[in-house]
mmCIF file with all atom_site columns, all heavy atoms in Angstrom:
data_model
loop_
_atom_site.group_PDB
_atom_site.id
_atom_site.type_symbol
_atom_site.label_atom_id
_atom_site.label_alt_id
_atom_site.label_comp_id
_atom_site.label_asym_id
_atom_site.label_entity_id
_atom_site.label_seq_id
_atom_site.pdbx_PDB_ins_code
_atom_site.Cartn_x
_atom_site.Cartn_y
_atom_site.Cartn_z
_atom_site.occupancy
_atom_site.B_iso_or_equiv
_atom_site.pdbx_formal_charge
_atom_site.auth_seq_id
_atom_site.auth_comp_id
_atom_site.auth_asym_id
_atom_site.auth_atom_id
_atom_site.pdbx_PDB_model_num
ATOM 1   N N   . GLY A 1 1  ? 113.438 145.426 150.872 1.00 94.00 ? 1  GLY A N   1
ATOM 2   C CA  . GLY A 1 1  ? 112.442 146.471 151.017 1.00 94.00 ? 1  GLY A CA  1
ATOM 3   C C   . GLY A 1 1  ? 112.738 147.726 150.213 1.00 94.00 ? 1  GLY A C   1
ATOM 4   O O   . GLY A 1 1  ? 111.889 148.628 150.149 1.00 94.00 ? 1  GLY A O   1
ATOM 5   N N   . LEU A 1 2  ? 113.930 147.775 149.595 1.00 96.00 ? 2  LEU A N   1
ATOM 6   C CA  . LEU A 1 2  ? 114.322 148.968 148.845 1.00 96.00 ? 2  LEU A CA  1
ATOM 7   C C   . LEU A 1 2  ? 114.568 148.674 147.365 1.00 96.00 ? 2  LEU A C   1
ATOM 8   O O   . LEU A 1 2  ? 114.153 149.447 146.503 1.00 96.00 ? 2  LEU A O   1
ATOM 9   C CB  . LEU A 1 2  ? 115.597 149.586 149.449 1.00 96.00 ? 2  LEU A CB  1
ATOM 10  C CG  . LEU A 1 2  ? 115.484 150.170 150.852 1.00 96.00 ? 2  LEU A CG  1
ATOM 11  C CD1 . LEU A 1 2  ? 116.854 150.645 151.327 1.00 96.00 ? 2  LEU A CD1 1
ATOM 12  C CD2 . LEU A 1 2  ? 114.488 151.337 150.880 1.00 96.00 ? 2  LEU A CD2 1
ATOM 13  N N   . VAL A 1 3  ? 115.256 147.581 147.069 1.00 95.00 ? 3  VAL A N   1
ATOM 14  C CA  . VAL A 1 3  ? 115.620 147.245 145.693 1.00 95.00 ? 3  VAL A CA  1
ATOM 15  C C   . VAL A 1 3  ? 115.442 145.741 145.483 1.00 95.00 ? 3  VAL A C   1
ATOM 16  O O   . VAL A 1 3  ? 115.447 144.960 146.422 1.00 95.00 ? 3  VAL A O   1
ATOM 17  C CB  . VAL A 1 3  ? 117.080 147.636 145.381 1.00 95.00 ? 3  VAL A CB  1
ATOM 18  C CG1 . VAL A 1 3  ? 117.269 149.140 145.479 1.00 95.00 ? 3  VAL A CG1 1
ATOM 19  C CG2 . VAL A 1 3  ? 118.043 146.899 146.295 1.00 95.00 ? 3  VAL A CG2 1
ATOM 20  N N   . ASP A 1 4  ? 115.334 145.354 144.219 1.00 94.00 ? 4  ASP A N   1
ATOM 21  C CA  . ASP A 1 4  ? 115.256 143.923 143.889 1.00 94.00 ? 4  ASP A CA  1
ATOM 22  C C   . ASP A 1 4  ? 116.641 143.314 143.726 1.00 94.00 ? 4  ASP A C   1
ATOM 23  O O   . ASP A 1 4  ? 116.847 142.141 144.022 1.00 94.00 ? 4  ASP A O   1
ATOM 24  C CB  . ASP A 1 4  ? 114.469 143.722 142.597 1.00 94.00 ? 4  ASP A CB  1
ATOM 25  C CG  . ASP A 1 4  ? 112.978 143.871 142.789 1.00 94.00 ? 4  ASP A CG  1
ATOM 26  O OD1 . ASP A 1 4  ? 112.522 143.777 143.938 1.00 94.00 ? 4  ASP A OD1 1
ATOM 27  O OD2 . ASP A 1 4  ? 112.269 144.090 141.790 1.00 94.00 ? 4  ASP A OD2 1
ATOM 28  N N   . ASN A 1 5  ? 117.591 144.095 143.230 1.00 93.00 ? 5  ASN A N   1
ATOM 29  C CA  . ASN A 1 5  ? 118.942 143.619 142.953 1.00 93.00 ? 5  ASN A CA  1
ATOM 30  C C   . ASN A 1 5  ? 118.912 142.448 141.976 1.00 93.00 ? 5  ASN A C   1
ATOM 31  O O   . ASN A 1 5  ? 119.326 141.329 142.270 1.00 93.00 ? 5  ASN A O   1
ATOM 32  C CB  . ASN A 1 5  ? 119.668 143.212 144.243 1.00 93.00 ? 5  ASN A CB  1
ATOM 33  C CG  . ASN A 1 5  ? 121.140 142.894 143.986 1.00 93.00 ? 5  ASN A CG  1
ATOM 34  O OD1 . ASN A 1 5  ? 121.746 143.431 143.067 1.00 93.00 ? 5  ASN A OD1 1
ATOM 35  N ND2 . ASN A 1 5  ? 121.697 142.008 144.793 1.00 93.00 ? 5  ASN A ND2 1
ATOM 36  N N   . HIS A 1 6  ? 118.437 142.717 140.777 1.00 91.00 ? 6  HIS A N   1
ATOM 37  C CA  . HIS A 1 6  ? 118.474 141.729 139.706 1.00 91.00 ? 6  HIS A CA  1
ATOM 38  C C   . HIS A 1 6  ? 119.869 141.694 139.070 1.00 91.00 ? 6  HIS A C   1
ATOM 39  O O   . HIS A 1 6  ? 120.575 142.699 139.033 1.00 91.00 ? 6  HIS A O   1
ATOM 40  C CB  . HIS A 1 6  ? 117.475 142.083 138.603 1.00 91.00 ? 6  HIS A CB  1
ATOM 41  C CG  . HIS A 1 6  ? 116.073 141.675 138.893 1.00 91.00 ? 6  HIS A CG  1
ATOM 42  N ND1 . HIS A 1 6  ? 115.654 140.366 138.840 1.00 91.00 ? 6  HIS A ND1 1
ATOM 43  C CD2 . HIS A 1 6  ? 114.988 142.403 139.246 1.00 91.00 ? 6  HIS A CD2 1
ATOM 44  C CE1 . HIS A 1 6  ? 114.365 140.300 139.132 1.00 91.00 ? 6  HIS A CE1 1
ATOM 45  N NE2 . HIS A 1 6  ? 113.935 141.525 139.390 1.00 91.00 ? 6  HIS A NE2 1
ATOM 46  N N   . LEU A 1 7  ? 120.231 140.534 138.555 1.00 92.00 ? 7  LEU A N   1
ATOM 47  C CA  . LEU A 1 7  ? 121.371 140.409 137.658 1.00 92.00 ? 7  LEU A CA  1
ATOM 48  C C   . LEU A 1 7  ? 120.816 140.013 136.301 1.00 92.00 ? 7  LEU A C   1
ATOM 49  O O   . LEU A 1 7  ? 119.979 139.112 136.206 1.00 92.00 ? 7  LEU A O   1
ATOM 50  C CB  . LEU A 1 7  ? 122.355 139.351 138.159 1.00 92.00 ? 7  LEU A CB  1
ATOM 51  C CG  . LEU A 1 7  ? 123.153 139.736 139.414 1.00 92.00 ? 7  LEU A CG  1
ATOM 52  C CD1 . LEU A 1 7  ? 123.945 138.531 139.917 1.00 92.00 ? 7  LEU A CD1 1
ATOM 53  C CD2 . LEU A 1 7  ? 124.100 140.893 139.121 1.00 92.00 ? 7  LEU A CD2 1
ATOM 54  N N   . PHE A 1 8  ? 121.275 140.704 135.253 1.00 95.00 ? 8  PHE A N   1
ATOM 55  C CA  . PHE A 1 8  ? 120.719 140.491 133.917 1.00 95.00 ? 8  PHE A CA  1
ATOM 56  C C   . PHE A 1 8  ? 121.728 139.849 132.979 1.00 95.00 ? 8  PHE A C   1
ATOM 57  O O   . PHE A 1 8  ? 122.933 140.120 133.052 1.00 95.00 ? 8  PHE A O   1
ATOM 58  C CB  . PHE A 1 8  ? 120.280 141.832 133.317 1.00 95.00 ? 8  PHE A CB  1
ATOM 59  C CG  . PHE A 1 8  ? 119.042 142.393 133.935 1.00 95.00 ? 8  PHE A CG  1
ATOM 60  C CD1 . PHE A 1 8  ? 119.121 143.456 134.824 1.00 95.00 ? 8  PHE A CD1 1
ATOM 61  C CD2 . PHE A 1 8  ? 117.789 141.869 133.646 1.00 95.00 ? 8  PHE A CD2 1
ATOM 62  C CE1 . PHE A 1 8  ? 117.978 143.986 135.403 1.00 95.00 ? 8  PHE A CE1 1
ATOM 63  C CE2 . PHE A 1 8  ? 116.640 142.388 134.217 1.00 95.00 ? 8  PHE A CE2 1
ATOM 64  C CZ  . PHE A 1 8  ? 116.729 143.443 135.092 1.00 95.00 ? 8  PHE A CZ  1
ATOM 65  N N   . TYR A 1 9  ? 121.202 139.017 132.094 1.00 95.00 ? 9  TYR A N   1
ATOM 66  C CA  . TYR A 1 9  ? 121.955 138.534 130.946 1.00 95.00 ? 9  TYR A CA  1
ATOM 67  C C   . TYR A 1 9  ? 121.610 139.465 129.786 1.00 95.00 ? 9  TYR A C   1
ATOM 68  O O   . TYR A 1 9  ? 120.425 139.647 129.459 1.00 95.00 ? 9  TYR A O   1
ATOM 69  C CB  . TYR A 1 9  ? 121.579 137.088 130.620 1.00 95.00 ? 9  TYR A CB  1
ATOM 70  C CG  . TYR A 1 9  ? 121.971 136.137 131.725 1.00 95.00 ? 9  TYR A CG  1
ATOM 71  C CD1 . TYR A 1 9  ? 121.129 135.929 132.813 1.00 95.00 ? 9  TYR A CD1 1
ATOM 72  C CD2 . TYR A 1 9  ? 123.200 135.474 131.693 1.00 95.00 ? 9  TYR A CD2 1
ATOM 73  C CE1 . TYR A 1 9  ? 121.491 135.075 133.843 1.00 95.00 ? 9  TYR A CE1 1
ATOM 74  C CE2 . TYR A 1 9  ? 123.565 134.620 132.725 1.00 95.00 ? 9  TYR A CE2 1
ATOM 75  C CZ  . TYR A 1 9  ? 122.712 134.423 133.799 1.00 95.00 ? 9  TYR A CZ  1
ATOM 76  O OH  . TYR A 1 9  ? 123.070 133.587 134.833 1.00 95.00 ? 9  TYR A OH  1
ATOM 77  N N   . VAL A 1 10 ? 122.635 140.066 129.218 1.00 96.00 ? 10 VAL A N   1
ATOM 78  C CA  . VAL A 1 10 ? 122.435 141.031 128.138 1.00 96.00 ? 10 VAL A CA  1
ATOM 79  C C   . VAL A 1 10 ? 123.225 140.568 126.919 1.00 96.00 ? 10 VAL A C   1
ATOM 80  O O   . VAL A 1 10 ? 124.223 139.844 127.043 1.00 96.00 ? 10 VAL A O   1
ATOM 81  C CB  . VAL A 1 10 ? 122.868 142.450 128.550 1.00 96.00 ? 10 VAL A CB  1
ATOM 82  C CG1 . VAL A 1 10 ? 121.978 142.991 129.654 1.00 96.00 ? 10 VAL A CG1 1
ATOM 83  C CG2 . VAL A 1 10 ? 124.331 142.474 128.997 1.00 96.00 ? 10 VAL A CG2 1
ATOM 84  N N   . ALA A 1 11 ? 122.769 140.980 125.756 1.00 97.00 ? 11 ALA A N   1
ATOM 85  C CA  . ALA A 1 11 ? 123.438 140.594 124.516 1.00 97.00 ? 11 ALA A CA  1
ATOM 86  C C   . ALA A 1 11 ? 123.581 141.803 123.607 1.00 97.00 ? 11 ALA A C   1
ATOM 87  O O   . ALA A 1 11 ? 122.748 142.724 123.632 1.00 97.00 ? 11 ALA A O   1
ATOM 88  C CB  . ALA A 1 11 ? 122.654 139.495 123.799 1.00 97.00 ? 11 ALA A CB  1
ATOM 89  N N   . ARG A 1 12 ? 124.644 141.807 122.827 1.00 96.00 ? 12 ARG A N   1
ATOM 90  C CA  . ARG A 1 12 ? 124.799 142.827 121.792 1.00 96.00 ? 12 ARG A CA  1
ATOM 91  C C   . ARG A 1 12 ? 123.652 142.658 120.801 1.00 96.00 ? 12 ARG A C   1
ATOM 92  O O   . ARG A 1 12 ? 123.376 141.567 120.327 1.00 96.00 ? 12 ARG A O   1
ATOM 93  C CB  . ARG A 1 12 ? 126.159 142.651 121.107 1.00 96.00 ? 12 ARG A CB  1
ATOM 94  C CG  . ARG A 1 12 ? 126.544 143.740 120.148 1.00 96.00 ? 12 ARG A CG  1
ATOM 95  C CD  . ARG A 1 12 ? 128.024 143.633 119.781 1.00 96.00 ? 12 ARG A CD  1
ATOM 96  N NE  . ARG A 1 12 ? 128.345 142.327 119.222 1.00 96.00 ? 12 ARG A NE  1
ATOM 97  C CZ  . ARG A 1 12 ? 128.210 141.993 117.941 1.00 96.00 ? 12 ARG A CZ  1
ATOM 98  N NH1 . ARG A 1 12 ? 127.744 142.897 117.065 1.00 96.00 ? 12 ARG A NH1 1
ATOM 99  N NH2 . ARG A 1 12 ? 128.526 140.795 117.512 1.00 96.00 ? 12 ARG A NH2 1
ATOM 100 N N   . ARG A 1 13 ? 122.956 143.747 120.517 1.00 96.00 ? 13 ARG A N   1
ATOM 101 C CA  . ARG A 1 13 ? 121.730 143.656 119.719 1.00 96.00 ? 13 ARG A CA  1
ATOM 102 C C   . ARG A 1 13 ? 121.966 142.975 118.364 1.00 96.00 ? 13 ARG A C   1
ATOM 103 O O   . ARG A 1 13 ? 121.212 142.094 117.969 1.00 96.00 ? 13 ARG A O   1
ATOM 104 C CB  . ARG A 1 13 ? 121.120 145.050 119.500 1.00 96.00 ? 13 ARG A CB  1
ATOM 105 C CG  . ARG A 1 13 ? 119.856 145.021 118.637 1.00 96.00 ? 13 ARG A CG  1
ATOM 106 C CD  . ARG A 1 13 ? 119.257 146.393 118.472 1.00 96.00 ? 13 ARG A CD  1
ATOM 107 N NE  . ARG A 1 13 ? 118.567 146.826 119.688 1.00 96.00 ? 13 ARG A NE  1
ATOM 108 C CZ  . ARG A 1 13 ? 117.323 146.496 120.004 1.00 96.00 ? 13 ARG A CZ  1
ATOM 109 N NH1 . ARG A 1 13 ? 116.626 145.690 119.209 1.00 96.00 ? 13 ARG A NH1 1
ATOM 110 N NH2 . ARG A 1 13 ? 116.769 146.953 121.106 1.00 96.00 ? 13 ARG A NH2 1
ATOM 111 N N   . GLU A 1 14 ? 122.999 143.377 117.661 1.00 95.00 ? 14 GLU A N   1
ATOM 112 C CA  . GLU A 1 14 ? 123.249 142.794 116.345 1.00 95.00 ? 14 GLU A CA  1
ATOM 113 C C   . GLU A 1 14 ? 123.487 141.289 116.445 1.00 95.00 ? 14 GLU A C   1
ATOM 114 O O   . GLU A 1 14 ? 122.992 140.507 115.619 1.00 95.00 ? 14 GLU A O   1
ATOM 115 C CB  . GLU A 1 14 ? 124.449 143.472 115.686 1.00 95.00 ? 14 GLU A CB  1
ATOM 116 C CG  . GLU A 1 14 ? 124.737 142.985 114.276 1.00 95.00 ? 14 GLU A CG  1
ATOM 117 C CD  . GLU A 1 14 ? 125.926 143.679 113.646 1.00 95.00 ? 14 GLU A CD  1
ATOM 118 O OE1 . GLU A 1 14 ? 126.669 144.378 114.371 1.00 95.00 ? 14 GLU A OE1 1
ATOM 119 O OE2 . GLU A 1 14 ? 126.116 143.528 112.427 1.00 95.00 ? 14 GLU A OE2 1
ATOM 120 N N   . PHE A 1 15 ? 124.233 140.869 117.467 1.00 96.00 ? 15 PHE A N   1
ATOM 121 C CA  . PHE A 1 15 ? 124.484 139.438 117.657 1.00 96.00 ? 15 PHE A CA  1
ATOM 122 C C   . PHE A 1 15 ? 123.183 138.698 117.935 1.00 96.00 ? 15 PHE A C   1
ATOM 123 O O   . PHE A 1 15 ? 122.913 137.645 117.347 1.00 96.00 ? 15 PHE A O   1
ATOM 124 C CB  . PHE A 1 15 ? 125.459 139.230 118.819 1.00 96.00 ? 15 PHE A CB  1
ATOM 125 C CG  . PHE A 1 15 ? 125.623 137.791 119.213 1.00 96.00 ? 15 PHE A CG  1
ATOM 126 C CD1 . PHE A 1 15 ? 126.459 136.950 118.496 1.00 96.00 ? 15 PHE A CD1 1
ATOM 127 C CD2 . PHE A 1 15 ? 124.928 137.276 120.307 1.00 96.00 ? 15 PHE A CD2 1
ATOM 128 C CE1 . PHE A 1 15 ? 126.599 135.608 118.861 1.00 96.00 ? 15 PHE A CE1 1
ATOM 129 C CE2 . PHE A 1 15 ? 125.067 135.940 120.669 1.00 96.00 ? 15 PHE A CE2 1
ATOM 130 C CZ  . PHE A 1 15 ? 125.905 135.102 119.948 1.00 96.00 ? 15 PHE A CZ  1
ATOM 131 N N   . ALA A 1 16 ? 122.343 139.245 118.816 1.00 95.00 ? 16 ALA A N   1
ATOM 132 C CA  . ALA A 1 16 ? 121.085 138.586 119.171 1.00 95.00 ? 16 ALA A CA  1
ATOM 133 C C   . ALA A 1 16 ? 120.158 138.462 117.971 1.00 95.00 ? 16 ALA A C   1
ATOM 134 O O   . ALA A 1 16 ? 119.472 137.451 117.807 1.00 95.00 ? 16 ALA A O   1
ATOM 135 C CB  . ALA A 1 16 ? 120.392 139.355 120.294 1.00 95.00 ? 16 ALA A CB  1
ATOM 136 N N   . GLU A 1 17 ? 120.143 139.481 117.125 1.00 93.00 ? 17 GLU A N   1
ATOM 137 C CA  . GLU A 1 17 ? 119.248 139.466 115.971 1.00 93.00 ? 17 GLU A CA  1
ATOM 138 C C   . GLU A 1 17 ? 119.765 138.571 114.839 1.00 93.00 ? 17 GLU A C   1
ATOM 139 O O   . GLU A 1 17 ? 118.983 137.929 114.137 1.00 93.00 ? 17 GLU A O   1
ATOM 140 C CB  . GLU A 1 17 ? 119.044 140.892 115.466 1.00 93.00 ? 17 GLU A CB  1
ATOM 141 C CG  . GLU A 1 17 ? 118.264 141.767 116.441 1.00 93.00 ? 17 GLU A CG  1
ATOM 142 C CD  . GLU A 1 17 ? 118.152 143.214 116.002 1.00 93.00 ? 17 GLU A CD  1
ATOM 143 O OE1 . GLU A 1 17 ? 118.947 143.646 115.134 1.00 93.00 ? 17 GLU A OE1 1
ATOM 144 O OE2 . GLU A 1 17 ? 117.287 143.919 116.538 1.00 93.00 ? 17 GLU A OE2 1
ATOM 145 N N   . GLN A 1 18 ? 121.096 138.505 114.688 1.00 94.00 ? 18 GLN A N   1
ATOM 146 C CA  . GLN A 1 18 ? 121.659 137.743 113.580 1.00 94.00 ? 18 GLN A CA  1
ATOM 147 C C   . GLN A 1 18 ? 121.967 136.292 113.929 1.00 94.00 ? 18 GLN A C   1
ATOM 148 O O   . GLN A 1 18 ? 122.013 135.432 113.050 1.00 94.00 ? 18 GLN A O   1
ATOM 149 C CB  . GLN A 1 18 ? 122.925 138.429 113.076 1.00 94.00 ? 18 GLN A CB  1
ATOM 150 C CG  . GLN A 1 18 ? 122.674 139.782 112.442 1.00 94.00 ? 18 GLN A CG  1
ATOM 151 C CD  . GLN A 1 18 ? 123.937 140.386 111.838 1.00 94.00 ? 18 GLN A CD  1
ATOM 152 O OE1 . GLN A 1 18 ? 125.010 139.798 111.888 1.00 94.00 ? 18 GLN A OE1 1
ATOM 153 N NE2 . GLN A 1 18 ? 123.791 141.576 111.254 1.00 94.00 ? 18 GLN A NE2 1
ATOM 154 N N   . HIS A 1 19 ? 122.164 136.019 115.237 1.00 95.00 ? 19 HIS A N   1
ATOM 155 C CA  . HIS A 1 19 ? 122.527 134.660 115.657 1.00 95.00 ? 19 HIS A CA  1
ATOM 156 C C   . HIS A 1 19 ? 121.676 134.195 116.838 1.00 95.00 ? 19 HIS A C   1
ATOM 157 O O   . HIS A 1 19 ? 122.208 133.846 117.897 1.00 95.00 ? 19 HIS A O   1
ATOM 158 C CB  . HIS A 1 19 ? 124.011 134.606 116.035 1.00 95.00 ? 19 HIS A CB  1
ATOM 159 C CG  . HIS A 1 19 ? 124.930 134.994 114.924 1.00 95.00 ? 19 HIS A CG  1
ATOM 160 N ND1 . HIS A 1 19 ? 125.172 134.179 113.845 1.00 95.00 ? 19 HIS A ND1 1
ATOM 161 C CD2 . HIS A 1 19 ? 125.647 136.124 114.726 1.00 95.00 ? 19 HIS A CD2 1
ATOM 162 C CE1 . HIS A 1 19 ? 126.020 134.783 113.021 1.00 95.00 ? 19 HIS A CE1 1
ATOM 163 N NE2 . HIS A 1 19 ? 126.312 135.968 113.527 1.00 95.00 ? 19 HIS A NE2 1
ATOM 164 N N   . PRO A 1 20 ? 120.364 134.178 116.677 1.00 94.00 ? 20 PRO A N   1
ATOM 165 C CA  . PRO A 1 20 ? 119.505 133.779 117.805 1.00 94.00 ? 20 PRO A CA  1
ATOM 166 C C   . PRO A 1 20 ? 119.783 132.362 118.280 1.00 94.00 ? 20 PRO A C   1
ATOM 167 O O   . PRO A 1 20 ? 119.649 132.068 119.476 1.00 94.00 ? 20 PRO A O   1
ATOM 168 C CB  . PRO A 1 20 ? 118.092 133.916 117.235 1.00 94.00 ? 20 PRO A CB  1
ATOM 169 C CG  . PRO A 1 20 ? 118.260 133.812 115.747 1.00 94.00 ? 20 PRO A CG  1
ATOM 170 C CD  . PRO A 1 20 ? 119.571 134.473 115.465 1.00 94.00 ? 20 PRO A CD  1
ATOM 171 N N   . GLU A 1 21 ? 120.201 131.472 117.369 1.00 95.00 ? 21 GLU A N   1
ATOM 172 C CA  . GLU A 1 21 ? 120.454 130.084 117.759 1.00 95.00 ? 21 GLU A CA  1
ATOM 173 C C   . GLU A 1 21 ? 121.692 129.983 118.656 1.00 95.00 ? 21 GLU A C   1
ATOM 174 O O   . GLU A 1 21 ? 121.743 129.155 119.583 1.00 95.00 ? 21 GLU A O   1
ATOM 175 C CB  . GLU A 1 21 ? 120.612 129.202 116.506 1.00 95.00 ? 21 GLU A CB  1
ATOM 176 C CG  . GLU A 1 21 ? 121.911 129.348 115.734 1.00 95.00 ? 21 GLU A CG  1
ATOM 177 C CD  . GLU A 1 21 ? 122.054 130.666 114.972 1.00 95.00 ? 21 GLU A CD  1
ATOM 178 O OE1 . GLU A 1 21 ? 121.051 131.421 114.875 1.00 95.00 ? 21 GLU A OE1 1
ATOM 179 O OE2 . GLU A 1 21 ? 123.154 130.950 114.475 1.00 95.00 ? 21 GLU A OE2 1
ATOM 180 N N   . LEU A 1 22 ? 122.691 130.830 118.427 1.00 96.00 ? 22 LEU A N   1
ATOM 181 C CA  . LEU A 1 22 ? 123.871 130.830 119.288 1.00 96.00 ? 22 LEU A CA  1
ATOM 182 C C   . LEU A 1 22 ? 123.546 131.441 120.652 1.00 96.00 ? 22 LEU A C   1
ATOM 183 O O   . LEU A 1 22 ? 124.014 130.954 121.682 1.00 96.00 ? 22 LEU A O   1
ATOM 184 C CB  . LEU A 1 22 ? 125.015 131.586 118.621 1.00 96.00 ? 22 LEU A CB  1
ATOM 185 C CG  . LEU A 1 22 ? 125.529 130.995 117.304 1.00 96.00 ? 22 LEU A CG  1
ATOM 186 C CD1 . LEU A 1 22 ? 126.705 131.820 116.780 1.00 96.00 ? 22 LEU A CD1 1
ATOM 187 C CD2 . LEU A 1 22 ? 125.933 129.541 117.479 1.00 96.00 ? 22 LEU A CD2 1
ATOM 188 N N   . LEU A 1 23 ? 122.758 132.490 120.650 1.00 96.00 ? 23 LEU A N   1
ATOM 189 C CA  . LEU A 1 23 ? 122.328 133.082 121.914 1.00 96.00 ? 23 LEU A CA  1
ATOM 190 C C   . LEU A 1 23 ? 121.526 132.069 122.725 1.00 96.00 ? 23 LEU A C   1
ATOM 191 O O   . LEU A 1 23 ? 121.734 131.912 123.932 1.00 96.00 ? 23 LEU A O   1
ATOM 192 C CB  . LEU A 1 23 ? 121.488 134.335 121.652 1.00 96.00 ? 23 LEU A CB  1
ATOM 193 C CG  . LEU A 1 23 ? 120.877 135.015 122.888 1.00 96.00 ? 23 LEU A CG  1
ATOM 194 C CD1 . LEU A 1 23 ? 121.943 135.395 123.897 1.00 96.00 ? 23 LEU A CD1 1
ATOM 195 C CD2 . LEU A 1 23 ? 120.063 136.233 122.461 1.00 96.00 ? 23 LEU A CD2 1
ATOM 196 N N   . ARG A 1 24 ? 120.620 131.369 122.069 1.00 95.00 ? 24 ARG A N   1
ATOM 197 C CA  . ARG A 1 24 ? 119.808 130.356 122.739 1.00 95.00 ? 24 ARG A CA  1
ATOM 198 C C   . ARG A 1 24 ? 120.691 129.260 123.336 1.00 95.00 ? 24 ARG A C   1
ATOM 199 O O   . ARG A 1 24 ? 120.457 128.799 124.469 1.00 95.00 ? 24 ARG A O   1
ATOM 200 C CB  . ARG A 1 24 ? 118.835 129.751 121.720 1.00 95.00 ? 24 ARG A CB  1
ATOM 201 C CG  . ARG A 1 24 ? 117.977 128.602 122.176 1.00 95.00 ? 24 ARG A CG  1
ATOM 202 C CD  . ARG A 1 24 ? 116.931 129.041 123.160 1.00 95.00 ? 24 ARG A CD  1
ATOM 203 N NE  . ARG A 1 24 ? 117.417 128.901 124.529 1.00 95.00 ? 24 ARG A NE  1
ATOM 204 C CZ  . ARG A 1 24 ? 116.958 129.591 125.550 1.00 95.00 ? 24 ARG A CZ  1
ATOM 205 N NH1 . ARG A 1 24 ? 116.019 130.496 125.389 1.00 95.00 ? 24 ARG A NH1 1
ATOM 206 N NH2 . ARG A 1 24 ? 117.421 129.393 126.767 1.00 95.00 ? 24 ARG A NH2 1
ATOM 207 N N   . THR A 1 25 ? 121.723 128.851 122.591 1.00 95.00 ? 25 THR A N   1
ATOM 208 C CA  . THR A 1 25 ? 122.640 127.823 123.078 1.00 95.00 ? 25 THR A CA  1
ATOM 209 C C   . THR A 1 25 ? 123.348 128.269 124.346 1.00 95.00 ? 25 THR A C   1
ATOM 210 O O   . THR A 1 25 ? 123.460 127.511 125.321 1.00 95.00 ? 25 THR A O   1
ATOM 211 C CB  . THR A 1 25 ? 123.690 127.497 121.991 1.00 95.00 ? 25 THR A CB  1
ATOM 212 O OG1 . THR A 1 25 ? 123.012 126.961 120.844 1.00 95.00 ? 25 THR A OG1 1
ATOM 213 C CG2 . THR A 1 25 ? 124.706 126.478 122.488 1.00 95.00 ? 25 THR A CG2 1
ATOM 214 N N   . VAL A 1 26 ? 123.831 129.513 124.362 1.00 95.00 ? 26 VAL A N   1
ATOM 215 C CA  . VAL A 1 26 ? 124.522 130.038 125.544 1.00 95.00 ? 26 VAL A CA  1
ATOM 216 C C   . VAL A 1 26 ? 123.575 130.127 126.727 1.00 95.00 ? 26 VAL A C   1
ATOM 217 O O   . VAL A 1 26 ? 123.906 129.714 127.852 1.00 95.00 ? 26 VAL A O   1
ATOM 218 C CB  . VAL A 1 26 ? 125.140 131.412 125.234 1.00 95.00 ? 26 VAL A CB  1
ATOM 219 C CG1 . VAL A 1 26 ? 125.686 132.052 126.509 1.00 95.00 ? 26 VAL A CG1 1
ATOM 220 C CG2 . VAL A 1 26 ? 126.255 131.275 124.198 1.00 95.00 ? 26 VAL A CG2 1
ATOM 221 N N   . LEU A 1 27 ? 122.372 130.640 126.524 1.00 94.00 ? 27 LEU A N   1
ATOM 222 C CA  . LEU A 1 27 ? 121.420 130.776 127.623 1.00 94.00 ? 27 LEU A CA  1
ATOM 223 C C   . LEU A 1 27 ? 121.003 129.414 128.174 1.00 94.00 ? 27 LEU A C   1
ATOM 224 O O   . LEU A 1 27 ? 120.809 129.256 129.388 1.00 94.00 ? 27 LEU A O   1
ATOM 225 C CB  . LEU A 1 27 ? 120.193 131.562 127.160 1.00 94.00 ? 27 LEU A CB  1
ATOM 226 C CG  . LEU A 1 27 ? 120.428 133.046 126.852 1.00 94.00 ? 27 LEU A CG  1
ATOM 227 C CD1 . LEU A 1 27 ? 119.140 133.690 126.350 1.00 94.00 ? 27 LEU A CD1 1
ATOM 228 C CD2 . LEU A 1 27 ? 120.948 133.796 128.078 1.00 94.00 ? 27 LEU A CD2 1
#
């Protein structure tokens, strides 16, 4: 009733932009 309490998967921006296929593999 107060918070959702999400847990997020986050990535270093440069890594996500330069290696989307590796990020996709991990996810």
